[in-house]
Amino acid sequence: MRHLYSCPLRWSDMDAFGHVNNAVFIRYLEEARIDFMWRLAPGDGSPSFSGGSVVARHEIDYVRPLVHRHEPVTIELWVTKIGAASMTIAYEIRDADTLYVRASTVVVPYDLAEGRPRRISAEERSFLKEYMDDARPDAAQPQEGAVAA
């Protein structure tokens, strides 16, 4: 299963060349990841993912420039790895016809009160497994024809 997030483009996201700035893509990934993780969060009384998390690693392949337009792009997100105290989330930023970015993020659950990483709970692991997709190539692998934005 994949999580889909619709992301509007803003004029402030553009660089001097009219493309979405490379650093802005990190924000898009963050917005999609937070939307995904809060699907299992405190609204239902679950403590899962409510203690915080930190990013340990980002990898991004810029496949095509994304220029401003009024239509949003879609961010597809899925889980590629679940460890004892980390998870790897893969993404594709795309529209119906074009892939713009492939990326991955290693996320570590964090105990804010203790000020340290923590293990993934059984509830979190069960939730993440629903989005596990081993059939897809790992988004962290460089893709032929990738270009920097």
Side-chain angles (χ1 to χ4, degrees):
M1 179 166 34
R2 289 172 267 172
H3 178 72
L4 299 178
Y5 179 77
S6 181
C7 186
L9 304 180
R10 302 166 197 85
W11 278 110
S12 60
D13 295 346
M14 302 301 135
D15 62 18
F17 303 106
H19 303 121
V20 172
N21 183 279
N22 65 77
V24 171
F25 281 108
I26 301 253
R27 190 181 79 233
Y28 291 171
L29 301 177
E30 176 186 42
E31 289 174 11
R33 187 174 60 254
I34 288 169
D35 184 70
F36 167 68
M37 292 175 80
W38 281 91
R39 299 284 170 173
L40 179 67
D44 298 334
S46 169
S48 292
F49 299 124
S50 62
S53 62
V54 294
V55 170
R57 179 182 181 88
H58 280 301
E59 288 194 29
I60 300 178
D61 291 322
Y62 301 97
V63 179
R64 299 266 184 280
L66 177 55
V67 297
H68 188 270
R69 82 262 182 107
H70 295 288
E71 300 80 28
V73 289
T74 298
I75 302 173
E76 286 187 52
L77 163 151
W78 64 97
V79 176
T80 60
K81 183 178 179 185
I82 305 169
S86 69
M87 67 201 88
T88 302
I89 298 174
Y91 318 79
E92 289 182 349
I93 298 178
R94 61 182 327 113
D95 57 28
D97 303 324
T98 307
L99 173 65
Y100 300 102
V101 167
R102 282 189 184 96
S104 68
T105 303
V106 176
V107 179
V108 176
Y110 199 77
D111 184 328
L112 295 171
E114 295 290 324
R116 62 183 175 85
R118 65 169 179 80
R119 293 176 115 19
I120 293 173
S121 72
E123 183 182 31
E124 291 164 340
R125 182 174 303 280
S126 176
F127 171 77
L128 293 169
K129 281 183 177 179
E130 292 179 37
Y131 293 90
M132 192 81 174
D133 195 343
D134 294 326
R136 288 179 169 252
D138 189 323
Q141 297 302 313
Q143 301 297 320
E144 195 171 316
V147 296

